Amino acid sequence: MIRLGFLLLLTFNVLFYAEAQQQRITLKAGESLKDFKARHVYKYPEFASSKVTYTDGAVTTERLNYNRLSGKMEFIDKKGDTLAIINNSEIRKVVLAKDTFYFDKEYVELLNDAAGLKLGMTMMLKLVDKQKIGGYGAASSTSSIDTYSRIPNQPNFILNPKADHVFVLEPTFYFGTRDYSFGRASEKRLLQLIPREHQAKIKSYLKQNKVDFAEREDIEKILHLVKTLTTDQAHPEVNGKKTAN
C-alpha cells in the first residue's frame, strides 16, 4: 500500500535547452520539457526503486525521483500522473537508487560522513535571467519577471512561452549532526559540531587557509582534517606504537 501523501503536478508547455558552460541551462521559447526533465530537472533519467523510512520506523518501497526545480520527491501513480510527496514531515530518510536523502525541512542529500560530522547538499535549478524574444528572433536580457503567472522555483509555476529563461544548477552545502539535523555549512556551524578539543586546530587551519563554504572541495578538506583528528584521538601512536590512553 502506498503511504505517500501527494500533490498532482502540472506539466510545463516548454522545453529546456542545456548549455554546458558553467552548468547554465537555457529554457528556449516554445520548446517542450520532456527531454530536459529527464536530463536536468530530475536526479535520475527515470524513476528509481527507492526505500522510504518514516519517523515511526515504518519502511516502504516506491519508485521515486528528486525534482531539482521544486526540491520535492515525486512518484508516478497508476494513472501515469506525476505526484509529489506532501507528508514530508513523516519521512526520515529516502534511499533513492544509490543516493541517500534525509528530510529536515527540505530534502538534503548525504555526501559524506566524517567521524560523525555529516556533509549534505541540495542541488537546485535557480532562475538567473530572462531574455525576451524581440525582432528577427533576437533575445534581449531583462531583469523583470512580471510576465510570470506563478513564482519561480515553486512546483506549478508557469513560464512566459515567448521568452528564453536561463537557469543555473546551484549547490548549497550543509553540516549535519549524528541524528541528521542539518544546518547551512559555515565556520560557526562547523565549530558547533566538532569536539572542543579539536577546535583550536580547526581554527588555525581556517586562519591559514581561505575556505569557501560554498565550494565542495574546500569543505571536503575540512572534513578530512576532522576525520584525521578524530582517528588520531581514537588510535594514538608514537613511532608506530600505540600508547596507553
Side-chain angles (χ1 to χ4, degrees):
M1 178 182 294
I2 293 179
R3 178 177 167 174
L4 305 178
F6 59 87
L7 172 69
L8 180 64
L9 300 182
L10 301 180
T11 301
F12 306 137
N13 294 319
V14 287
L15 171 79
F16 292 77
Y17 169 76
E19 296 178 322
Q21 295 182 354
Q22 299 179 349
Q23 292 189 317
R24 291 173 68 85
I25 301 168
T26 299
L27 172 106
K28 301 298 290 185
E31 298 179 352
S32 101
L33 180 64
K34 184 176 180 180
D35 292 339
F36 175 80
K37 287 182 72 174
R39 291 184 291 117
H40 298 287
V41 171
Y42 287 119
K43 173 74 174 177
Y44 287 96
E46 297 180 354
F47 281 62
S49 179
S50 308
K51 182 180 292 185
V52 181
T53 302
Y54 292 85
T55 54
D56 63 4
V59 178
T60 62
T61 300
E62 315 290 347
R63 294 188 64 82
L64 303 177
N65 217 332
Y66 176 72
N67 187 315
R68 290 169 169 163
L69 194 61
S70 67
K72 295 182 179 294
M73 285 290 174
E74 299 179 5
F75 64 99
I76 299 175
D77 71 358
K78 294 181 180 179
K79 297 179 180 179
D81 293 326
T82 302
L83 310 174
I85 300 173
I86 58 170
N87 58 331
N88 298 289
S89 61
E90 298 176 14
I91 294 175
R92 180 61 170 167
K93 178 175 68 172
V94 174
V95 179
L96 173 58
K98 64 180 181 180
D99 298 307
T100 300
F101 292 78
Y102 286 86
F103 187 78
D104 182 18
K105 303 181 183 66
E106 60 184 328
Y107 284 99
V108 179
E109 180 182 352
L110 184 66
L111 299 179
N112 200 331
D113 185 347
L117 179 60
K118 324 295 183 184
L119 174 62
M121 177 187 72
T122 58
M123 179 71 78
M124 297 290 294
L125 280 173
K126 300 290 186 180
L127 180 69
V128 294
D129 192 17
K130 184 185 70 176
Q131 300 174 338
K132 290 184 177 179
I133 305 301
Y136 305 101
S140 59
S141 180
T142 173
S143 60
S144 172
I145 57 171
D146 58 2
T147 52
Y148 286 90
S149 60
R150 287 186 172 84
I151 301 172
N153 296 318
Q154 295 301 311
N156 299 323
F157 77 89
I158 298 174
L159 300 168
N160 182 353
K162 296 182 179 180
D164 291 350
H165 302 81
V166 183
F167 293 81
V168 64
L169 273 174
E170 181 179 278
T172 302
F173 298 100
Y174 300 83
F175 289 136
T177 62
R178 292 181 182 275
D179 64 352
Y180 300 97
S181 175
F182 289 92
R184 188 76 171 263
S186 65
E187 178 177 345
K188 180 179 179 180
R189 176 70 173 171
L190 174 66
L191 294 174
Q192 287 175 341
L193 297 180
I194 62 174
R196 182 172 299 179
E197 59 267 27
H198 301 327
Q199 290 185 3
K201 289 186 178 180
I202 296 297
K203 288 180 180 179
S204 177
Y205 177 89
L206 292 171
K207 186 176 181 179
Q208 296 174 26
N209 298 272
K210 184 178 180 180
V211 176
D212 185 348
F213 287 93
E215 293 291 336
R216 181 172 178 176
E217 184 177 356
D218 287 3
I219 297 174
E220 292 281 8
K221 291 178 181 178
I222 286 284
L223 291 179
H224 179 73
L225 177 57
V226 171
K227 186 175 183 179
T228 300
L229 292 172
T230 305
T231 301
D232 288 347
Q233 183 184 44
H235 304 288
E237 296 181 0
V238 176
N239 296 325
K241 296 182 180 181
K242 294 184 179 180
T243 62
N245 290 329

